[in-house]
C-alpha cells in the first residue's frame, strides 16, 4: 500500500520487541527491522557491546554475526566465553561480500545481522546505507559497528547516522550511551564485559526476574537528578579531567530554564585554556548551542575560577545522571564509598536499620567528607538517588587550606607542562 489515510494509520498496532537487561534500558523496544549503529574508539569495547547485544537478540530468532575484523580467532573465542554468549540462535559467519551476505540472511530467515565492522569490508557510505535499507525492507534488524576517527567522530559521512534508528557511542570509560534513539529517551549503561555483568532478566515480562545473590549492589540508584550547585557542594572541581569524566562530550539533562524543555536535552561543558595569554574560557552548551560562556584572565583565572562563575550563573541547572561510573565521579569517590559502606552495614545489620546513620555521623569528625546532610539521611533508610539533595542544609566542613595548597600545586604543574 503506497498511501494510507490518517484513520488507517491510527488503527495500526506496531509493537516493538522486548530486549533483556541491561540492553533493554539502553535501546528500549525497537521494531524488528530497526537499524542500530555502534561506534567508538579503538579498544573501547564496541565488539563486546555488539556481541552481548547479539546474544540477547538471539532470543527472538537466528542471528548472523559477521566478525569481519577478527574472523574466528582467539580474541573472538575468548570474548564469547567471557560473556557467556552461547545462545543456540547465535551464529557466526565469515565475510565474503554484500551479495553473499544478503543470500545468507534470506536463506536462513535471519532475525538480525551484526556486521563488525563496516570499515574493513571496503564498503563506502553509499553501499553501507543501501545494505541497511535492504535489511529494513526485508524485515531484518541490522547492527553495524564502526571505528572512531582521531577527532572523536565516527568513520563515514553523516548519511550512516541519519539512516540508523539508534546510534550508540561506546566510550573508553566502559560506558555505552545513545546519541540517537527513536524508541525511547536517550540514556546510557555500563558495557557488560563479563557474563557476571550481564543481567539474566528475561525479555518476557511474565517470567520471573532471576537475581544473583553474590552480585555487588550499587549504592546509588540511577538515573537521578542533581544540580551544578549541589555538585559544587559535594566537592570542588579541581581539574579538566574531573569535568571531562563527569559529563563527557554529551550528558543527558533537563534544564527547567532551557527554552527547549525536553527529556532529551543535552549538556556539554567545554574548557579552553590559553596559557601564554593567561586567558581561560568555559562554555556551557545545551543541545549543541552556546548557552553561557565564563571567561577569566590573569593570575586569578583558570578552571576553578571559570567553574565558580558558571555555578554562580547556572547553579540550578539540573543534570540527569544515567551511568554508575558517572554517578561515582559526580558524587565523588569518598561519598560513593561512604554510601556503599552504609549500604553494606544495612544489609548485614537488618535488625538495626538505624545503625548506619550512627556510624556515618562519627566519621566526618576525623576525616571530613564533602557530602550533603540530606544524602546521609537517605543512605540510612534506602539506596540514595540524590533526587532530594537539599541546598538549604549546610555541608560538612571542608579543609580549605589543604584544598588551596593542592590547587596551587596543580596550577603550577599545568603551567609548567602546558605553558
Amino acid at each position: 500500500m503506497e498511501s494510507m489515510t490518517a484513520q488507517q494509520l491510527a488503527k495500526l498496532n506496531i509493537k516493538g520487541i522486548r530486549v533483556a537487561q541491561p540492553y533493554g534500558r539502553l535501546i528500549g523496544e525497537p521494531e524488528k527491522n530497526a537499524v542500530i549503529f555502534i561506534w567508538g574508539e579503538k579498544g573501547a569495547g564496541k565488539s563486546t557491546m555488539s556481541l552481548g547485544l547479539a546474544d540477547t537478540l538471539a532470543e527472538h530468532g537466528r542471528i548472523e554475526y559477521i566478525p569481519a575484523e577478527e574472523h574466528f580467532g582467539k580474541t573472538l573465542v575468548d570474548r564469547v566465553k567471557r560473556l557467556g554468549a552461547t545462545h543456540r540462535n547465535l551464529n557466526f559467519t565469515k565475510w565474503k561480500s554484500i551479495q553473499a551476505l544478503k543470500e545468507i540472511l534470506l536463506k536462513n530467515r535471519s532475525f538480525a545481522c551484526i556486521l563488525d565492522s563496516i570499515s574493513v569490508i571496503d564498503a563506502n557510505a553509499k553501499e553501507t546505507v543501501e545494505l541497511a535499507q535492504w535489511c529494513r525492507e526485508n524485515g531484518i534488524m541490522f547492527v553495524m559497528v564502526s571505528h572512531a576517527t582521531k577527532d572523536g567522530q565516527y568513520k563515514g559521512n553523516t548519511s550512516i547516522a541519519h539512516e540508523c534508528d539508534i546510534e550508540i557511542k561506546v566510550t573508553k570509560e566502559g560506558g555505552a550511551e545513545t546519541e540517537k534513539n527513536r524508541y525511547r529517551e536517550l540514556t546510557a549503561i555500563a558495557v557488560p564485559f563479563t557474563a557476571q555483568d550481564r543481567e539474566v532478566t528475561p525479555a518476557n515480562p511474565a517470567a520471573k526476574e532471576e537475581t544473583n545473590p553474590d552480585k555487588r549492589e550499587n549504592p546509588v540508584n540511577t538515573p537521578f537528578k542533581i544540580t551544578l550547585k549541589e555538585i559544587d557542594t559535594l566537592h570542588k572541581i579541581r581539574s579538566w579531567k574531573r569535568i571531562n569524566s563527569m559529563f563527557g562530550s554529551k550528558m543527558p539533562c533537563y534544564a527547567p530554564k532551557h527554552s527547549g524543555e525536553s527529556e532529551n536535552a543535552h549538556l556539554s561543558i567545554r574548557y579552553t585554556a590559553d596559557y601564554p595569554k593567561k586567558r581561560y574560557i568555559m562554555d556551557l552548551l545545551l543541545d549543541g548551542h552556546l548557552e553561557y560562556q565564563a571567561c577569566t584572565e590573569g593570575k586569578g583565572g583558570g578552571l576553578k575560577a571559570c567553574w565558580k562563575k558558571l555555578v554562580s550563573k547556572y547553579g540550578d541547572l539540573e543534570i540527569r545522571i544515567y551511568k554508575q561510573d558517572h554517578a561515582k565521579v559526580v558524587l565523588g569517590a569518598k561519598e560513593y564509598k561512604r554510601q556503599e559502606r552504609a549500604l553494606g552495614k544495612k544489609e548485614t545489620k537488618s535488625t538495626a536499620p538505624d545503625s548506619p546513620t550512627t556510624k556515618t555521623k562519627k566519621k566526618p569528625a576525623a576525616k571530613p567528607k564533602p557530602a550533603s546532610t540530606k544524602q546521609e539521611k537517605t543512605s540510612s533508610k534506602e539506596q540514595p538517588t540524590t533526587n532530594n539533595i537539599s541546598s538549604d542544609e549546610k555541608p560538612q566542613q571542608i579543609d580549605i587550606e589543604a584544598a588551596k595548597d593542592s590547587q596551587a600545586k596543580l596550577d603550577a604543574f599545568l603551567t609548567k607542562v602546558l605553558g
Side-chain angles (χ1 to χ4, degrees):
M1 185 180 294
E2 296 183 357
S3 63
M4 187 179 297
T5 66
Q7 292 180 344
Q8 290 174 325
L9 188 65
K11 291 180 180 179
L12 294 179
N13 185 19
I14 302 176
K15 294 183 178 181
I17 63 169
R18 289 185 178 272
V19 181
Q21 306 301 350
Y23 307 96
R25 285 198 298 272
L26 184 69
I27 65 177
E29 297 184 7
E31 296 178 71
K32 292 183 178 180
N33 63 344
V35 176
I36 302 175
F37 181 41
I38 301 175
W39 66 282
E41 296 181 54
K42 183 179 179 181
K46 302 181 299 296
S47 297
T48 300
M49 174 68 192
S50 58
L51 179 59
L53 178 61
D55 188 62
T56 301
L57 293 173
E59 183 179 338
H60 300 280
R62 182 183 175 96
I63 307 295
E64 302 295 343
Y65 192 102
I66 297 87
E69 283 187 347
E70 300 170 314
H71 305 287
F72 294 165
K74 183 179 183 301
T75 55
L76 177 62
V77 175
D78 291 343
R79 188 177 297 115
V80 169
K81 292 179 179 179
R82 191 178 72 247
L83 282 173
T86 55
H87 198 285
R88 58 186 178 87
N89 287 334
L90 179 58
N91 298 272
F92 295 88
T93 306
K94 287 187 177 181
W95 168 258
K96 293 182 180 180
S97 65
I98 292 180
Q99 184 58 37
L101 175 60
K102 290 180 179 179
E103 293 174 359
I104 291 174
L105 294 174
L106 292 177
K107 179 182 177 181
N108 296 331
R109 297 181 180 180
S110 302
F111 173 80
C113 168
I114 288 82
L115 185 55
D116 182 13
S117 72
I118 61 174
S119 59
V120 297
I121 62 175
D122 298 326
N124 56 36
K126 183 180 178 181
E127 290 175 324
T128 304
V129 170
E130 289 177 350
L131 177 59
Q133 292 173 342
W134 180 89
C135 288
R136 192 191 297 276
E137 292 170 358
N138 286 272
I140 301 172
M141 184 176 290
F142 183 53
V143 181
M144 48 183 169
V145 184
S146 179
H147 296 292
T149 58
K150 291 182 179 179
D151 59 352
Q153 300 298 319
Y154 55 82
K155 285 188 177 181
N157 58 38
T158 56
S159 61
I160 296 177
H162 285 312
E163 181 61 31
C164 72
D165 302 301
I166 303 172
E167 179 186 345
I168 301 172
K169 179 183 177 182
V170 181
T171 66
K172 278 197 170 182
E173 289 76 23
E177 52 192 37
T178 49
E179 302 271 289
K180 171 185 176 182
N181 196 337
R182 291 174 177 165
Y183 303 105
R184 64 158 297 161
E185 66 178 18
L186 301 184
T187 184
I189 63 170
V191 176
F193 281 93
T194 64
Q196 287 73 25
D197 293 334
R198 294 178 60 193
E199 297 181 18
V200 293
T201 305
N204 181 8
K208 292 183 178 180
E209 293 187 4
E210 298 179 25
T211 57
N212 183 1
D214 299 326
K215 185 177 179 181
R216 186 178 178 182
E217 197 169 2
N218 285 302
V220 182
N221 287 334
T222 53
F224 67 83
K225 291 180 181 179
I226 188 170
T227 65
L228 294 182
K229 191 179 294 183
E230 289 166 344
I231 293 173
D232 190 59
T233 301
L234 287 173
H235 55 81
K236 299 298 180 182
I237 308 301
R238 294 174 54 188
S239 68
W240 161 241
K241 183 179 179 182
R242 173 68 62 84
I243 285 184
N244 189 45
S245 62
M246 181 183 297
F247 300 111
S249 58
K250 285 184 178 180
M251 193 64 208
C253 73
Y254 172 69
K257 296 181 180 179
H258 180 37
S259 58
E261 293 182 2
S262 168
E263 290 292 338
N264 291 340
H266 280 98
L267 166 74
S268 300
I269 291 182
R270 183 173 56 200
Y271 176 69
T272 306
D274 187 356
Y275 291 102
K277 296 182 179 179
K278 293 185 177 180
R279 177 178 172 84
Y280 315 92
I281 302 173
M282 182 176 288
D283 298 325
L284 172 67
L285 299 95
L286 293 174
D287 292 343
H289 301 288
L290 181 63
E291 184 75 13
Y292 177 72
Q293 190 176 69
C295 303
T296 60
E297 294 181 340
K299 188 176 180 180
L303 185 139
K304 190 175 180 181
C306 287
W307 170 260
K308 186 176 181 180
K309 290 183 67 175
L310 179 65
V311 173
S312 176
K313 179 72 176 179
Y314 273 85
D316 294 330
L317 181 69
E318 289 181 341
I319 307 163
R320 178 168 291 182
I321 308 299
Y322 282 101
K323 296 191 295 181
Q324 284 296 330
D325 55 344
H326 274 253
K328 187 172 183 178
V329 181
V330 168
L331 296 176
K334 290 183 178 180
E335 170 63 16
Y336 192 88
K337 289 179 180 178
R338 187 193 68 78
Q339 295 188 15
E340 194 171 41
R341 288 195 298 269
L343 180 65
K345 291 174 183 177
K346 181 180 178 182
E347 292 175 349
T348 55
K349 299 181 180 181
S350 57
T351 55
D354 295 327
S355 57
T357 307
T358 307
K359 295 282 185 180
T360 52
K361 284 183 178 178
K362 294 180 182 179
K363 289 184 178 180
K367 191 174 182 181
K369 296 184 179 182
S372 64
T373 310
K374 186 73 175 180
Q375 280 191 314
E376 283 192 12
K377 294 180 179 180
T378 308
S379 63
S380 66
K381 296 179 181 178
E382 57 184 35
Q383 291 184 351
T385 60
T386 69
N387 287 348
N388 301 318
I389 297 178
S390 174
S391 58
D392 297 327
E393 294 180 279
K394 295 182 179 180
Q396 296 175 6
Q397 188 176 359
I398 299 173
D399 191 343
I400 301 298
E401 295 302 324
K404 287 182 179 179
D405 183 57
S406 180
Q407 179 64 39
K409 290 180 181 179
L410 177 63
D411 290 342
F413 172 77
L414 291 175
T415 303
K416 180 179 178 181
V417 174
L418 300 177

